[in-house]
């Protein structure tokens, strides 16, 4: 019988509900249980693929090809396991199923209503996820914050599950305790209100995870305990920390895992957070910086710089840097500004040990990215291009090395004389028919590595994996390297180092006379884990560390 742990947010969003969920899952795994995480996104979008990353954060892609909320990435990184697409739902997808069922007369003439039919569909999906993953524990993160109109139906589903099976369902409220500057004291009242709202939905939390700038002290713990009707031992202090991967260790200092098991009346099967603790220790010991610049465009939101749009890229850099004993220093560089100010670009890029151009879409910033890639190629700066970053590296090479002036991707210039990057043939009817939701080339596909390439070397390096020839990597794109230009670009020195064996689609390119210049049509960042850094990121970081010593600067 699977057990369910609902994780609900209080007071405000963005306080680490996803990390809390993932950390609890890691702890339960370390105690010998199978744990999985489900994310519920209350948006009407059917999946995260149609949401702008500056508003909603990165679109994370699962192995089985669903476009999800970035929290699925946190779950994978903390659990070191792939999460299935069944572990993600949006309100749009839930309503769509109910409406489709109604159209198929499956409700037998009944009035179909928001309650109970929507919560019933949610419960059906949660049970299916538990069955498919064979999990002992299913952590369910309900997006948004208690009190929002949007997530009421999910609280209702959670309440119904608890009513049917009280011994197998518990609730964790992740709440925020502000310390207003002018008062200088931690305030509990907003959390009290959050608990009252939760109570109004028929739910009493079993635990409160108290997020704040600083640790929770005894007087405030007491106050929360009395006003929220919860034992002081079930209030877990969760102060801000620099490294998210320390959260499971901090929780364990409070015996959070044991307390959770006690609520269900079960015992731990083992206790092993060893590899995790070693990884965190290694990250703490790293003192020398490796400086990586991400040249992108999804940073701005009003007066604030958001980095959520590239979270998997950032985490992948960290994993590899730590495993090489370095402290990652990541800089956000605005591609658009490079279109106007080349001098400033050169100044910024010269400070870096390595350059990444991440995934992206459309015209804005594309020429700036191409300029940064040209700089990386000419100045022998380690370069890693991710999806769009690979496509634009090919455009740059075609224009400046192969002499194909005006070469471009047809995504930006459909009339270019040299369409080196073009729409994949199976994408044409989708784009022209406006069937755009969830129709990109998505999820894992095979990539066969060519002998003698840096790509093959990178993947083959870990002990015991010397014979690696085919790897599976995750995709999210509509355009591809137009193979009619393969010969001419190869003749000028471009190396094709990975190809999909079924479609012949070009998956990885690299340059030979360069310390590290690689572009991948897929997104290696989605498969990088703190305990298993991604081979391409690891080699890129190694090259960046070497580059630090002897950078050559060309005008
Ligand atoms: N815009 C490009 C394409 O659709 C690249 C996509 C990406 O970087 N994820 O092919």
């Amino acid at each position: 019988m699977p057990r369910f742990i609902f994780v609900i947010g209080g007071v405000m969003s963005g306080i680490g509900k996803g990390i809390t969920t993932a950390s609890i899952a890691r702890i339960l795994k370390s105690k010998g249980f199978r744990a999985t995480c489900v994310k519920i996104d209350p948006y009407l979008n059917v999946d995260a693929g149609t949401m702008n990353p500056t508003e909603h954060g990165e679109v994370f892609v699962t192995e089985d090809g669903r476009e999800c909320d970035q929290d699925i990435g946190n779950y994978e990184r903390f659990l070191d396991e792939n999460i299935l697409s069944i572990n993600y739902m949006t309100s749009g997808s839930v309503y769509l199923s109910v409406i489709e069922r109604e159209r198929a007369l499956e409700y037998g003439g009944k009035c179909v209503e928001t309650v109970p039919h929507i919560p019933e569909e949610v419960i059906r999906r949660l049970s299916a996820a538990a069955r498919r993953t064979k999990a002992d524990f299913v952590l369910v993160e309900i997006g948004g914050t208690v009190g929002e109109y949007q997530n009421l139906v999910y609280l209702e589903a959670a309440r119904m599950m608890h009513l049917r099976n009280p011994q197998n369902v518990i609730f964790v409220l992740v709440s925020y305790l502000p310390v207003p500057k002018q008062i200088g004291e931690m305030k509990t009242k907003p959390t009290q209100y959050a608990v009252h709202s939760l109570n109004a939905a028929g739910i009493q939390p079993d635990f409160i995870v108290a997020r704040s700038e600083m640790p929770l002290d005894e007087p405030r713990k007491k106050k929360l305990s009395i006003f929220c009707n919860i034992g002081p031992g079930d209030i877990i202090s969760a102060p801000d920390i620099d490294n998210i991967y320390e959260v499971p260790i901090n929780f364990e200092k409070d015996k959070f895992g044991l307390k959770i098991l006690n609520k269900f009346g079960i015992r731990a099967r083992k206790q092993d957070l060893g590899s995790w603790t070693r990884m965190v220790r290694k990250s703490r010991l790293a003192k020398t910086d490796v400086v990586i610049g991400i040249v992108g465009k999804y940073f701005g939101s009003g007066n604030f710089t958001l980095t959520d749009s590239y979270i998997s890229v950032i985490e992948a850099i960290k994993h590899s840097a730590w495993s090489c004993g370095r402290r990652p220093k990541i800089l956000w560089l605005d591609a658009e500004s490079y279109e106007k100010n080349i001098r400033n670009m050169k100044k910024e890029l010269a400070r870096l040990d390595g350059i990444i151009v991440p995934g992206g879409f459309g015209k804005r910033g594309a020429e700036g990215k191409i300029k940064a890639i040209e700089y990386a190629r000419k100045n022998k700066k380690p370069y890693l291009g991710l999806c769009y970053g690979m496509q634009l590296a090919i455009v740059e090479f075609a224009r400046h090395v192969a002499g194909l002036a005006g070469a471009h991707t047809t995504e930006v210039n459909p009339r270019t004389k040299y369409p080196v990057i073009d729409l994949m043939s199976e994408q044409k009817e989708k784009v022209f028919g406006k069937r755009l939701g969830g129709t990109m080339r998505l999820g894992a596909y095979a990539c066969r590595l060519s002998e003698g390439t840096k790509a093959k070397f990178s993947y083959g390096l870990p002990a015991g994996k010397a014979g690696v020839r085919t790897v599976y990597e995750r995709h999210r794109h509509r355009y591809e390297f137009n193979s009619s230009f393969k010969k001419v670009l190869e003749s000028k020195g471009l190396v094709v180092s990975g190809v999909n064996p079924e479609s012949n689609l070009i998956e990885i390119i690299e340059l030979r006379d360069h310390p590290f210049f690689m572009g991948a049509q897929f997104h290696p960042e989605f498969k990088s884990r703190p305990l298993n850094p991604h081979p391409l990121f690891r080699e890129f970081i190694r090259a960046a560390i070497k580059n630090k010593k002897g950078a050559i600067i060309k005008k």
Side-chain angles (χ1 to χ4, degrees):
M1 195 58 180
R3 294 167 171 92
F4 291 87
I5 302 172
F6 285 92
V7 181
I8 300 161
V11 177
M12 63 185 203
S13 65
I15 54 170
K17 230 174 336 126
I19 300 297
T20 300
T21 308
S23 298
I24 296 174
R26 179 81 220 176
I27 290 172
L28 293 169
K29 183 175 175 172
S30 79
K31 294 191 186 302
F33 297 99
R34 269 201 65 77
T36 194
C37 304
V38 172
K39 169 81 188 215
I40 297 179
D41 234 346
Y43 300 107
L44 281 179
N45 304 62
V46 174
D47 55 46
T50 54
M51 298 186 221
N52 182 333
T54 3
E55 272 175 45
H56 183 257
E58 170 188 272
V59 179
F60 187 83
V61 180
T62 57
E63 196 78 356
D64 58 356
R66 187 154 159 80
E67 296 168 293
C68 298
D69 180 82
Q70 59 180 18
D71 273 324
I72 300 288
N74 286 324
Y75 307 158
E76 290 202 349
R77 288 186 280 270
F78 276 70
L79 277 170
D80 200 9
E81 284 170 25
N82 290 344
I83 295 285
L84 299 172
S85 57
I86 196 168
N87 286 29
Y88 176 65
M89 66 180 100
T90 65
S91 294
S93 69
V94 171
Y95 274 85
L96 195 62
S97 298
V98 171
I99 290 168
E100 274 168 359
R101 202 167 300 139
E102 184 273 337
R103 292 288 82 185
L105 271 183
E106 283 178 33
Y107 287 101
K110 278 208 192 84
C111 298
V112 181
E113 298 181 86
T114 305
V115 177
H117 296 105
I118 297 296
E120 289 290 5
E121 170 62 16
V122 174
I123 294 171
R124 193 190 63 74
R125 288 176 177 220
L126 292 178
S127 312
R131 262 196 319 275
R132 278 278 297 280
T133 54
K134 299 193 179 65
D136 301 306
F137 290 98
V138 183
L139 284 115
V140 185
E141 179 185 348
I142 301 182
T145 318
V146 56
E148 268 174 48
Y149 187 71
Q150 295 203 82
N151 59 19
L152 268 178
V153 283
Y154 300 109
L155 297 181
E156 186 63 6
R159 186 192 64 78
M160 283 160 69
M161 283 180 78
H162 181 257
L163 181 72
R164 287 174 198 170
N165 233 326
Q167 69 283 8
N168 280 343
V169 176
I170 67 165
F171 301 98
V172 176
L173 177 72
V174 182
S175 194
Y176 190 68
L177 291 101
V179 185
K181 264 210 189 83
Q182 66 280 23
I183 310 173
E185 184 197 328
M186 187 187 287
K187 303 306 280 178
T188 63
K189 195 61 65 56
T191 296
Q192 294 179 36
Y193 282 128
V195 172
H196 295 167
S197 307
L198 203 52
N199 289 161
I203 292 172
Q204 168 63 30
D206 294 275
F207 293 99
I208 295 177
V209 173
R211 286 280 300 111
S212 188
E213 262 173 63
M214 48 184 79
L216 194 68
D217 60 2
E218 280 312 310
R220 261 138 287 260
K221 211 174 233 189
K222 246 191 210 142
K223 206 172 195 180
L224 275 182
S225 166
I226 293 168
F227 288 103
C228 302
N229 193 24
I230 188 165
D234 294 339
I235 301 168
I236 310 292
S237 170
D240 286 352
I241 41 170
D242 294 336
N243 182 349
I244 51 168
Y245 299 112
E246 294 203 19
V247 174
I249 298 169
N250 282 358
F251 279 171
E252 277 305 74
K253 283 184 192 147
D254 251 348
K255 297 205 167 29
F256 195 12
L258 187 71
K259 289 174 182 173
I260 289 174
L261 293 183
N262 285 345
K263 292 268 176 200
F264 289 112
I266 48 178
R267 283 221 190 121
R269 294 180 181 152
K270 61 172 192 174
Q271 179 66 43
D272 182 15
L273 213 48
S275 53
W276 195 265
T277 311
R278 279 193 293 281
M279 176 270 296
V280 169
R281 194 176 309 135
K282 198 159 178 197
S283 77
R284 264 194 235 128
L285 290 174
K287 294 282 184 283
T288 319
D289 288 342
V290 53
V291 189
I292 306 296
I294 300 180
V295 183
K297 67 170 176 179
Y298 302 117
F299 297 132
S301 170
N303 292 333
F304 301 95
T305 301
L306 304 174
T307 53
D308 266 10
S309 331
Y310 300 111
I311 178 149
S312 291
V313 180
I314 296 165
E315 296 307 313
I317 295 170
K318 290 186 195 167
H319 306 156
S320 285
W322 292 332
S323 79
C324 294
R326 294 301 149 113
R327 189 169 55 186
K329 187 168 173 204
I330 301 167
L331 301 179
W332 319 114
L333 306 170
D334 174 24
E336 252 183 310
S337 74
Y338 291 173
E339 290 166 12
K340 292 166 225 127
N341 194 339
I342 277 280
R343 277 206 24 222
N344 180 50
M345 175 193 91
K346 286 188 175 166
K347 226 169 77 194
E348 279 191 353
L349 298 184
R351 286 159 53 209
L352 306 175
D353 301 324
I355 300 173
I356 288 182
V357 172
F361 294 84
K363 187 171 182 218
R364 188 165 68 82
E367 288 303 325
K369 290 177 186 173
I370 293 172
K371 288 203 162 76
I373 296 168
E374 181 180 10
Y375 178 94
R377 182 177 56 76
K378 287 188 174 162
N379 292 284
K380 310 267 188 231
K381 281 262 181 213
Y383 173 75
L384 184 60
L386 309 169
C387 203
Y388 208 25
M390 175 255 206
Q391 298 176 353
L392 295 179
I394 291 167
V395 169
E396 193 280 325
F397 188 89
R399 285 184 191 174
H400 303 133
V401 181
L404 307 178
H408 221 320
T409 160
T410 53
E411 180 177 356
V412 178
N413 179 7
R415 270 183 265 282
T416 170
K417 212 165 138 198
Y418 303 113
V420 287
I421 306 294
D422 201 6
L423 201 58
M424 287 183 273
S425 57
E426 74 268 22
Q427 286 291 329
K428 288 191 176 134
E429 52 178 305
K430 292 173 186 161
V431 172
F432 300 131
K434 280 211 153 235
R435 287 192 295 109
L436 296 172
T439 58
M440 283 189 230
R441 180 170 179 252
L442 290 170
Y445 285 89
C447 165
R448 181 163 308 140
L449 304 163
S450 321
E451 284 307 331
T453 59
K454 278 196 192 104
K456 171 100 171 42
F457 172 81
S458 309
Y459 280 101
L461 210 57
K465 284 196 184 166
V468 171
R469 272 226 68 182
T470 304
V471 291
Y472 290 82
E473 293 285 0
R474 297 187 196 170
H475 299 72
R476 180 170 186 256
H477 65 118
R478 293 190 199 279
Y479 294 79
E480 64 174 328
F481 180 2
N482 181 349
S483 55
S484 46
F485 289 91
K486 183 169 173 267
K487 270 223 169 80
V488 50
L489 297 192
E490 276 179 333
S491 73
K492 299 286 177 190
L494 190 85
V495 177
V496 171
S497 43
V499 173
N500 176 270
E502 287 100 42
S503 64
N504 272 333
L505 187 134
I506 291 156
E507 298 279 10
I508 314 180
I509 57 103
E510 59 188 73
L511 294 182
R512 217 163 254 138
D513 59 345
H514 193 287
F516 190 98
F517 189 103
M518 200 177 289
Q521 183 56 81
F522 48 84
H523 292 270
E525 67 271 23
F526 290 151
K527 290 183 82 161
S528 184
R529 312 266 167 83
L531 298 180
N532 273 309
H534 193 282
L536 297 186
F537 273 88
R538 191 197 52 219
E539 282 316 297
F540 164 68
I541 293 290
R542 280 196 181 148
I545 293 169
K546 269 198 207 141
N547 163 69
K548 214 180 175 66
K549 291 180 196 139
I552 315 159
I553 306 295
K554 240 190 210 165
K555 288 270 150 8

